[in-house]
Amino acid sequence: MASSTLTITDNRTGKRYELPIEHGAIRASDLSQIRVAPGEPGLVSYDPALINTATCKSKVSFIDGERGILRYRGYPIEELAEKSSFLETAYLIVKGELPTTSHFLMWQHNIKMHTLVHENIKQFIQGFRYDAHPMGILIATAGALSTFYPEAKNIMDLESRRVQTRRLIGKMPTIAAFAYRHSRGLPYIYPDNDLSYTGNFLSMMFKMTELKYRPDPVLEHALDVLFILHADHEQNCSSTTMRTVGSAHSDPYASVAGAAAALAGPRHGSANEEVVHMLHEIGSIDRIPGLIKQAKGGERRLMGFGHRVYKNYDPRAQLIKKIAYDVFEVTGKNPLIEIALELERIALQDEYFVSRRLYPNVDFYSGIIYEAMGLPVAMFPVLFAIARTAGWMAQWAEMVLDDEQKIVRPKQLYVGHDERHYVPLDQRREGGAPEVEVHGPL
Ligand code: ACO
């Protein structure tokens, strides 16, 4: 039987090395023994953007990008979307197993106990300008929570980790809704714990003068499914940030603020916002070819298309497309869906997109549903962050308890100047070093 090793011959020295292969990987640190001479630096692997580097072992979610498979803790995303609820899925992600009835009731109770925020958080949010982006408010407020719960720094304490997890999952919808109400100059609505997780969120967003807000069950369910689909996605940019910040043993609030900041980027969780802007900009089907031409010419990206891992289809996009029609039954059809469907049809036939294996991702249809539900575009990445908090906390706890993990500190390949010596300011030639002016990074 073939042994699970990799034999490497270093042609600089003629030496051979045998490296063990485990879980389909070699350890990058095993490469460090490969050196030209004693005292010389050992070989490193160079992997910008960590495209082919596993940085952890994880049991949370599994993706097979070729076959379009996503599972949380082994359960197919399609089954969870059809049969589970967001809070149950959050339990599964955080704790590793589906709950029994009594555990689920306790979990629900524990999350609801933490939906309120300290009154000073309201004032903190009040301090933002009226037009502050809600994602900026969410990032800052998540970080600010760390000052309210200083005991969160006890990251090795199980009970502390549990409490911060419940707090974060419980408070994210409240902070998100307050951020929205702030932008509209509307009074903040306190949580209604008689409602479901998503029903309460809709209440905090949209309740006006009525005594009791009653969410439409179809929209409440659609949002719940969307939250399930966004709850975790293995080592994406924001979860990697969560692990990286957390690896310094910063508290989970600081780490979630970092993860949310990563999610805010248009190449990650803000893509859903960009998709809707793009579809509005297209405006009518006859303008699609112009956009496709721009994308193919490298002038812009087709937002909501492409994924680092999924190369055939994103299973979440397929599920979301189905929910869109349930939502439209209640809200009326969002006219953007026709543009989106036609854009997808044309792109999927085009050699440029086919050869690069660019398919609609989770963000392509989610924004259209959110918009139909009356959720403002700026809130789309915020909705993503609420759901992803479950995944961030699970990934963070896994990192904290993993004996192999240390503070993240990658290597670099230094390609800058060799040693040079300081020239006093008055002796530097004016107009010198033109490359700095022309090519400098900042
Ligand atoms: N539109 C047009 N061309 C694209 C797109 C796109 N959306 N995405 C990738 N390409 C092209 C690139 O220009 C590149 O072409 P080239 O080989 O001729 O240079 C090729 O496809 C590969 O692109 P990369 O940037 O190398 O792919 P990568 O895996 O690094 O990027 C990403 C993945 C960031 C998702 C990218 O596809 C993208 O920017 N998509 C649009 C933004 C988006 O929808 N992001 C949401 C992702 S899902 C999520 O985060 C929840």
Side-chain angles (χ1 to χ4, degrees):
M1 191 184 126
S3 75
S4 280
T5 58
L6 174 73
T7 304
I8 296 178
T9 305
D10 185 346
N11 292 324
R12 300 171 301 176
T13 58
K15 278 197 193 159
R16 274 161 60 101
Y17 301 83
E18 194 156 301
L19 310 185
I21 299 176
E22 196 194 349
H23 300 296
I26 58 159
R27 280 183 184 261
S29 56
D30 283 347
L31 296 174
S32 64
Q33 61 185 299
I34 304 175
R35 55 187 79 220
V36 176
E40 289 291 311
L43 196 66
V44 298
S45 59
Y46 176 58
D47 188 9
L50 302 177
I51 286 181
N52 196 34
T53 296
T55 59
C56 62
K57 291 177 185 158
S58 180
K59 294 180 178 171
V60 185
S61 50
F62 169 81
I63 301 176
D64 180 334
E66 286 298 325
R67 293 190 292 153
I69 292 174
L70 169 61
R71 296 181 199 134
Y72 298 155
R73 303 279 187 187
Y75 293 96
I77 190 68
E78 293 80 3
E79 281 181 35
L80 293 170
E82 189 192 333
K83 298 177 181 161
S84 185
S85 65
F86 172 70
L87 271 192
E88 187 189 47
T89 299
Y91 181 103
L92 170 71
I93 288 175
V94 166
K95 297 194 178 272
E97 294 296 337
L98 284 169
T100 59
T101 303
S102 62
H103 283 142
F104 181 60
L105 291 174
M106 201 186 303
W107 169 250
Q108 242 181 338
H109 172 82
N110 286 340
I111 300 286
K112 286 184 175 179
M113 280 300 97
H114 289 290
T115 49
L116 274 175
V117 290
H118 192 288
E119 284 293 290
N120 287 6
I121 287 286
K122 268 177 36 185
Q123 285 155 23
F124 182 76
I125 293 177
Q126 203 64 43
F128 285 92
R129 256 173 62 141
Y130 71 97
D131 58 353
H133 195 292
M135 195 60 179
I137 299 182
L138 185 90
I139 294 165
T141 312
L145 286 180
S146 127
T147 65
F148 291 82
Y149 307 111
E151 77 281 6
K153 68 176 186 298
N154 300 325
I155 61 163
M156 301 316 290
D157 179 67
L158 171 63
E159 208 36 52
S160 173
R161 285 198 304 273
R162 283 185 172 161
V163 174
Q164 317 320 326
T165 303
R166 293 171 200 152
R167 280 191 180 131
L168 271 157
I169 295 175
K171 290 183 198 315
M172 286 297 252
T174 313
I175 296 168
F178 281 15
Y180 166 68
R181 306 279 298 196
H182 176 72
S183 71
R184 302 297 297 265
L186 290 166
Y188 303 147
I189 301 294
Y190 287 100
D192 178 347
N193 285 347
D194 291 340
L195 297 174
S196 71
Y197 189 78
T198 41
N200 168 50
F201 175 64
L202 291 171
S203 164
M204 292 189 291
M205 287 286 293
F206 297 127
K207 184 168 183 285
M208 297 307 259
T209 52
E210 66 272 40
L211 284 179
K212 176 92 182 162
Y213 179 86
R214 297 194 193 284
D216 183 289
V218 174
L219 303 188
E220 185 183 2
H221 178 251
L223 192 58
D224 203 68
V225 176
L226 283 161
F227 280 5
I228 292 174
L229 300 181
H230 285 86
D232 193 57
H233 210 235
E234 53 126 291
Q235 305 314 311
N236 57 83
C237 180
S238 56
S239 300
T240 301
T241 307
M242 181 82 196
R243 284 176 174 265
T244 303
V245 179
S247 78
H249 286 192
S250 304
D251 72 44
Y253 300 104
S255 304
V256 162
L263 190 73
R267 289 200 167 176
H268 191 11
S270 279
N272 51 14
E273 201 178 344
E274 300 294 327
V275 170
V276 169
H277 288 314
M278 180 185 78
L279 294 175
H280 275 296
E281 185 193 325
I282 298 172
S284 67
I285 285 176
D286 55 302
R287 295 181 62 187
I288 293 175
L291 180 95
I292 298 268
K293 198 169 157 214
Q294 285 179 333
K296 287 164 67 172
E299 287 169 56
R300 64 189 293 174
R301 289 202 166 196
L302 204 54
M303 298 314 287
F305 260 72
H307 199 277
R308 174 64 61 73
V309 183
Y310 295 121
K311 296 298 175 194
N312 274 325
Y313 64 92
D314 180 338
R316 300 167 302 171
Q318 294 202 328
L319 291 163
I320 290 178
K321 204 167 155 184
K322 280 191 215 145
I323 307 169
Y325 290 96
D326 298 340
V327 169
F328 297 158
E329 289 283 316
V330 177
T331 62
K333 204 174 190 180
N334 184 340
L336 293 186
I337 189 81
E338 299 299 349
I339 299 173
L341 287 169
E342 183 62 6
L343 188 59
E344 178 182 347
R345 192 189 66 76
I346 294 177
L348 294 187
Q349 289 175 357
D350 192 296
E351 198 277 330
Y352 175 93
F353 294 92
V354 173
S355 64
R356 287 169 180 76
R357 307 176 76 186
L358 301 170
Y359 293 86
N361 60 45
V362 66
D363 292 321
F364 193 63
Y365 288 103
S366 62
I368 300 175
I369 305 181
Y370 291 146
E371 196 182 62
M373 290 171 75
L375 291 156
V377 178
M379 285 297 285
F380 297 177
V382 175
L383 299 167
F384 197 154
I386 295 174
R388 187 55 61 86
T389 299
W392 289 333
M393 294 310 287
Q395 300 278 348
W396 169 77
E398 201 175 52
M399 183 276 304
V400 167
L401 295 177
D402 183 345
D403 289 339
E404 284 195 309
Q405 294 294 337
K406 293 175 185 291
I407 184 166
V408 172
R409 203 323 187 165
K411 284 194 179 290
Q412 64 165 14
L413 305 181
Y414 180 70
V415 294
H417 287 284
D418 215 340
E419 186 182 24
R420 52 185 179 161
H421 296 287
Y422 184 83
V423 178
L425 186 58
D426 60 357
Q427 290 170 30
R428 279 175 234 157
R429 212 162 31 86
E430 209 55 68
E435 76 279 7
V436 173
E437 275 154 44
V438 180
H439 302 297
L442 294 171

